[in-house]
C-alpha cells in the first residue's frame, strides 16, 4: 500500500516537473482537502498544486483548522496561532519562526491579492500528518487522535463528495438553479415528477417542522438526488433574527432533523425573506465561522403572490429575469420558487423555457459553490 502511494507521488512529481520546465506559465492542478475523517467544503479550483506544492487560501484553511491567522500585507509579516503554538513568517524573505525559533522556509503563493499557503508546510509544523490521495486529488490532513478511518475507509465514507465532483457534466453554457422554499410539502410529489421527466436536479430549502410532517417527501427528494438545504425552524422575523445565536440554533436544529429523517445534512442556508436587511455582519460572521453558505436569488418568480387564475405571471417573471441576467452576462442564475400547487403546475413550462434559452439545470453543488447573496459576502 505504502509502496503504491510512493510510486504515484513520484509519477506526479515527474509530471509536474516536465510541465514546469517547458513553459514559464504556472500549471495548476486542482485538489480537494480532507480533515481527519471528512472532506472540507473547498470548491473546485479553490486549492491546487502549483510549483509542485499543494496550496490553499490561507484564511479559509486556517479557519477550518481552528487557527487564528493575522497578517500585515504591506510589511508581509503573517502569523498563525493555535493553542500555545505561534508560527510567523515574512512573505518576501520566507523566513519563518515557530514559537520564536527559526524553522523551514514558508511555502506561499499569491494570486489576485490572496495569500495561499503550502498545506503540508503549515499543518506539519502544527503537528498534523498529511497524506496525498492522488487518485482522488485529495490532501488528507489529520492527527492520529482525530482520524478514526484508514485512507481507504476515508475515501469510502466520503464517496458522495467524490461522486458529486465526478458526476458534474462539463459545463457548456449558463446554469440555472431552481430553488424551492418552505417545503417539504404535499406538492413535492408533483414537483419531483416533473423534474424527473425533464431529467434535471433542483435545490430545496426546508423548514424544520415540515420535515417531520412530510418526512416521506423529504426522503424522496433526497433519494432522487436533489440538494436539501436549510430555511429555519420558525420562519418568523422574531425570534429568528433576534440574535446570531437564535439564527444559528434554528439552522442547526433544521440540519439535525434533516439528517435524522433523510440521512443528509447541508451547508447551504437561505435566510427567510432574503438575507437583506436582517442578516447583518454578526450573523454572517457566525455563519462563516461554522462553514455555512448563504444563497439568496437572482430572479424572484413571485410565485408566493399569485393564485390559480394568475399563475402565468410566474413564467413571465422568470422570462423577464432571464433577459436581465443575459444582458449582465450572468452564467449562474438562481431562481426563487416555492413548494406551491401553482408552481408545480407551471413547472413544465418553466423548464421548457429555460432549456430553450440554453440553460443547464443543476442542483446546488457544495464543491462548485458560487457566491449568491445580497451582501456580496464572499465568505458565504
Ligand atoms: Zn420562506
Amino acid at each position: 500500500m505504502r509502496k503504491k502511494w510512493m510510486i504515484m507521488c513520484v509519477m506526479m512529481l515527474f509530471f509536474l516537473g516536465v510541465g514546469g520546465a517547458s513553459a514559464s506559465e504556472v500549471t495548476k492542478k486542482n485538489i480537494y482537502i480532507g480533515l481527519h475523517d471528512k472532506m472540507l467544503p473547498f470548491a473546485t479550483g479553490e486549492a491546487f498544486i502549483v510549483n509542485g506544492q499543494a496550496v490553499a487560501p490561507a484564511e479559509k484553511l486556517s479557519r477550518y483548522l481552528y487557527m487564528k491567522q493575522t497578517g500585515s500585507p504591506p510589511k508581509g509579516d503573517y502569523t498563525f496561532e493555535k493553542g500555545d503554538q505561534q508560527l510567523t513568517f515574512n512573505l518576501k524573505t520566507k523566513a519563518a519562526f515557530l514559537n520564536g525559533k527559526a524553522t523551514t522556509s514558508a511555502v506561499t503563493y499569491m494570486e489576485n491579492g490572496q495569500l495561499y499557503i503550502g498545506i503540508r508546510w503549515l499543518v506539519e509544523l502544527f503537528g498534523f500528518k498529511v497524506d496525498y490521495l492522488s487518485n482522488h486529488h485529495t490532501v488528507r490532513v489529520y492527527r492520529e487522535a482525530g482520524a478514526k478511518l484508514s485512507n481507504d475507509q476515508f475515501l469510502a465514507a466520503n464517496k458522495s463528495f467524490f461522486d458529486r465532483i465526478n458526476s458534474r457534466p462539463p459545463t457548456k453554457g449558463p446554469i440555472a438553479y431552481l430553488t424551492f422554499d418552505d417545503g417539504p410539502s404535499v406538492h413535492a410529489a408533483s414537483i419531483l415528477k416533473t423534474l424527473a421527466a425533464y431529467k434535471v436536479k433542483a435545490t430545496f430549502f426546508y423548514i424544520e417542522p415540515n420535515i417531520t410532517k412530510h418526512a416521506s417527501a423529504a426522503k424522496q427528494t433526497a433519494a432522487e438526488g436533489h440538494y436539501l438545504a436549510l430555511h429555519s425552524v420558525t420562519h418568523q422575523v422574531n425570534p429568528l433574527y433576534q440574535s446570531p445565536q437564535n439564527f444559528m440554533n434554528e439552522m442547526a436544529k433544521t440540519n439535525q432533523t434533516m439528517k435524522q429523517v433523510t440521512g443528509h445534512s447541508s451547508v447551504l442556508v437561505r435566510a427567510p425573506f432574503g438575507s437583506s436587511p436582517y442578516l447583518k455582519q454578526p450573523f454572517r460572521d457566525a455563519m462563516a465561522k461554522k462553514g455555512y453558505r448563504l444563497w439568496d436569488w437572482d430572479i424572484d418568480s413571485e410565485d408566493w403572490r399569485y393564485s390559480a387564475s394568475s399563475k402565468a405571471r410566474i413564467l413571465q417573471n422568470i422570462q423577464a429575469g432571464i433577459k436581465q441576467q443575459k444582458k449582465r452576462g450572468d452564467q449562474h442564475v438562481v431562481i426563487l420558487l416555492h413548494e406551491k400547487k401553482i408552481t408545480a403546475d407551471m413547472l413544465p413550462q418553466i423548464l421548457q423555457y429555460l432549456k430553450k434559452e440554453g440553460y443547464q439545470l443543476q442542483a446546488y453543488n457544495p464543491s462548485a459553490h458560487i457566491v449568491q447573496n445580497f451582501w456580496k459576502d464572499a465568505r458565504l
Side-chain angles (χ1 to χ4, degrees), residues 33-49:
I33 304 171
L35 177 62
H36 302 310
D37 293 336
K38 285 196 175 135
M39 293 303 294
L40 294 178
F42 279 84
T44 302
E46 254 189 302
F48 42 83
I49 293 172

mmCIF file of all heavy atoms in Angstrom, residues 33-49:
data_model
loop_
_atom_site.group_PDB
_atom_site.id
_atom_site.type_symbol
_atom_site.label_atom_id
_atom_site.label_comp_id
_atom_site.label_asym_id
_atom_site.label_seq_id
_atom_site.Cartn_x
_atom_site.Cartn_y
_atom_site.Cartn_z
ATOM 1 N N ILE A 33 -9.488 18.949 -0.131
ATOM 2 C CA ILE A 33 -8.842 18.804 1.171
ATOM 3 C C ILE A 33 -9.759 18.081 2.150
ATOM 4 O O ILE A 33 -10.941 18.429 2.279
ATOM 5 C CB ILE A 33 -8.466 20.187 1.762
ATOM 6 C CG1 ILE A 33 -7.589 20.956 0.768
ATOM 7 C CG2 ILE A 33 -7.738 20.033 3.097
ATOM 8 C CD1 ILE A 33 -7.344 22.399 1.152
ATOM 9 N N GLY A 34 -9.210 17.057 2.800
ATOM 10 C CA GLY A 34 -9.939 16.367 3.862
ATOM 11 C C GLY A 34 -9.307 16.701 5.195
ATOM 12 O O GLY A 34 -8.102 16.949 5.282
ATOM 13 N N LEU A 35 -10.123 16.761 6.240
ATOM 14 C CA LEU A 35 -9.602 16.979 7.585
ATOM 15 C C LEU A 35 -10.082 15.829 8.461
ATOM 16 O O LEU A 35 -11.289 15.605 8.569
ATOM 17 C CB LEU A 35 -10.076 18.324 8.145
ATOM 18 C CG LEU A 35 -9.637 18.627 9.583
ATOM 19 C CD1 LEU A 35 -8.114 18.710 9.699
ATOM 20 C CD2 LEU A 35 -10.260 19.934 10.076
ATOM 21 N N HIS A 36 -9.153 15.113 9.053
ATOM 22 C CA HIS A 36 -9.480 13.903 9.810
ATOM 23 C C HIS A 36 -10.310 12.968 8.918
ATOM 24 O O HIS A 36 -9.810 12.513 7.908
ATOM 25 C CB HIS A 36 -10.187 14.237 11.130
ATOM 26 C CG HIS A 36 -9.381 15.145 12.008
ATOM 27 N ND1 HIS A 36 -8.068 14.901 12.319
ATOM 28 C CD2 HIS A 36 -9.699 16.319 12.610
ATOM 29 C CE1 HIS A 36 -7.612 15.867 13.087
ATOM 30 N NE2 HIS A 36 -8.573 16.753 13.279
ATOM 31 N N ASP A 37 -11.605 12.766 9.256
ATOM 32 C CA ASP A 37 -12.397 11.783 8.508
ATOM 33 C C ASP A 37 -13.369 12.408 7.505
ATOM 34 O O ASP A 37 -14.169 11.711 6.898
ATOM 35 C CB ASP A 37 -13.176 10.898 9.498
ATOM 36 C CG ASP A 37 -12.233 10.019 10.307
ATOM 37 O OD1 ASP A 37 -11.110 9.743 9.830
ATOM 38 O OD2 ASP A 37 -12.610 9.613 11.419
ATOM 39 N N LYS A 38 -13.313 13.750 7.352
ATOM 40 C CA LYS A 38 -14.304 14.409 6.489
ATOM 41 C C LYS A 38 -13.657 15.279 5.428
ATOM 42 O O LYS A 38 -12.584 15.833 5.643
ATOM 43 C CB LYS A 38 -15.215 15.299 7.348
ATOM 44 C CG LYS A 38 -16.229 14.529 8.144
ATOM 45 C CD LYS A 38 -17.315 15.456 8.639
ATOM 46 C CE LYS A 38 -18.409 14.679 9.340
ATOM 47 N NZ LYS A 38 -18.838 15.294 10.589
ATOM 48 N N MET A 39 -14.363 15.465 4.315
ATOM 49 C CA MET A 39 -13.908 16.404 3.304
ATOM 50 C C MET A 39 -14.299 17.813 3.728
ATOM 51 O O MET A 39 -15.395 18.024 4.231
ATOM 52 C CB MET A 39 -14.545 16.081 1.952
ATOM 53 C CG MET A 39 -14.084 14.775 1.352
ATOM 54 S SD MET A 39 -12.284 14.678 1.129
ATOM 55 C CE MET A 39 -12.011 15.961 -0.114
ATOM 56 N N LEU A 40 -13.407 18.765 3.502
ATOM 57 C CA LEU A 40 -13.740 20.164 3.780
ATOM 58 C C LEU A 40 -14.420 20.761 2.550
ATOM 59 O O LEU A 40 -14.115 20.372 1.424
ATOM 60 C CB LEU A 40 -12.468 20.952 4.101
ATOM 61 C CG LEU A 40 -11.744 20.562 5.393
ATOM 62 C CD1 LEU A 40 -10.475 21.408 5.560
ATOM 63 C CD2 LEU A 40 -12.650 20.745 6.608
ATOM 64 N N PRO A 41 -15.336 21.726 2.767
ATOM 65 C CA PRO A 41 -16.065 22.292 1.631
ATOM 66 C C PRO A 41 -15.243 23.298 0.821
ATOM 67 O O PRO A 41 -15.565 24.468 0.764
ATOM 68 C CB PRO A 41 -17.289 22.944 2.287
ATOM 69 C CG PRO A 41 -16.846 23.264 3.664
ATOM 70 C CD PRO A 41 -15.810 22.240 4.047
ATOM 71 N N PHE A 42 -14.174 22.826 0.223
ATOM 72 C CA PHE A 42 -13.430 23.663 -0.725
ATOM 73 C C PHE A 42 -13.972 23.385 -2.123
ATOM 74 O O PHE A 42 -14.120 22.220 -2.512
ATOM 75 C CB PHE A 42 -11.933 23.336 -0.682
ATOM 76 C CG PHE A 42 -11.214 24.001 0.457
ATOM 77 C CD1 PHE A 42 -11.204 23.422 1.714
ATOM 78 C CD2 PHE A 42 -10.572 25.213 0.275
ATOM 79 C CE1 PHE A 42 -10.548 24.039 2.781
ATOM 80 C CE2 PHE A 42 -9.909 25.843 1.335
ATOM 81 C CZ PHE A 42 -9.906 25.252 2.584
ATOM 82 N N ALA A 43 -14.270 24.447 -2.855
ATOM 83 C CA ALA A 43 -14.821 24.279 -4.198
ATOM 84 C C ALA A 43 -13.702 23.938 -5.173
ATOM 85 O O ALA A 43 -12.526 24.208 -4.906
ATOM 86 C CB ALA A 43 -15.521 25.557 -4.631
ATOM 87 N N THR A 44 -14.091 23.356 -6.305
ATOM 88 C CA THR A 44 -13.135 23.045 -7.354
ATOM 89 C C THR A 44 -12.379 24.320 -7.736
ATOM 90 O O THR A 44 -12.994 25.344 -8.015
ATOM 91 C CB THR A 44 -13.867 22.481 -8.580
ATOM 92 O OG1 THR A 44 -14.592 21.328 -8.151
ATOM 93 C CG2 THR A 44 -12.892 22.096 -9.683
ATOM 94 N N GLY A 45 -11.055 24.255 -7.718
ATOM 95 C CA GLY A 45 -10.249 25.413 -8.101
ATOM 96 C C GLY A 45 -9.809 26.275 -6.934
ATOM 97 O O GLY A 45 -8.964 27.146 -7.080
ATOM 98 N N GLU A 46 -10.373 26.032 -5.752
ATOM 99 C CA GLU A 46 -10.012 26.868 -4.597
ATOM 100 C C GLU A 46 -8.630 26.509 -4.049
ATOM 101 O O GLU A 46 -7.908 27.362 -3.568
ATOM 102 C CB GLU A 46 -11.044 26.695 -3.480
ATOM 103 C CG GLU A 46 -11.977 27.867 -3.329
ATOM 104 C CD GLU A 46 -12.829 27.754 -2.083
ATOM 105 O OE1 GLU A 46 -13.561 26.752 -1.939
ATOM 106 O OE2 GLU A 46 -12.778 28.674 -1.267
ATOM 107 N N ALA A 47 -8.309 25.217 -4.074
ATOM 108 C CA ALA A 47 -6.989 24.761 -3.635
ATOM 109 C C ALA A 47 -6.375 23.994 -4.799
ATOM 110 O O ALA A 47 -7.095 23.374 -5.584
ATOM 111 C CB ALA A 47 -7.114 23.869 -2.415
ATOM 112 N N PHE A 48 -5.032 24.065 -4.909
ATOM 113 C CA PHE A 48 -4.424 23.446 -6.089
ATOM 114 C C PHE A 48 -2.941 23.169 -5.851
ATOM 115 O O PHE A 48 -2.362 23.642 -4.861
ATOM 116 C CB PHE A 48 -4.605 24.343 -7.325
ATOM 117 C CG PHE A 48 -4.376 25.808 -7.066
ATOM 118 C CD1 PHE A 48 -3.098 26.342 -7.066
ATOM 119 C CD2 PHE A 48 -5.456 26.652 -6.782
ATOM 120 C CE1 PHE A 48 -2.885 27.688 -6.811
ATOM 121 C CE2 PHE A 48 -5.250 28.004 -6.508
ATOM 122 C CZ PHE A 48 -3.961 28.530 -6.524
ATOM 123 N N ILE A 49 -2.390 22.395 -6.760
ATOM 124 C CA ILE A 49 -0.951 22.165 -6.723
ATOM 125 C C ILE A 49 -0.315 23.135 -7.705
ATOM 126 O O ILE A 49 -0.734 23.221 -8.868
ATOM 127 C CB ILE A 49 -0.611 20.715 -7.111
ATOM 128 C CG1 ILE A 49 -1.139 19.751 -6.041
ATOM 129 C CG2 ILE A 49 0.899 20.541 -7.276
ATOM 130 C CD1 ILE A 49 -1.028 18.299 -6.419
#
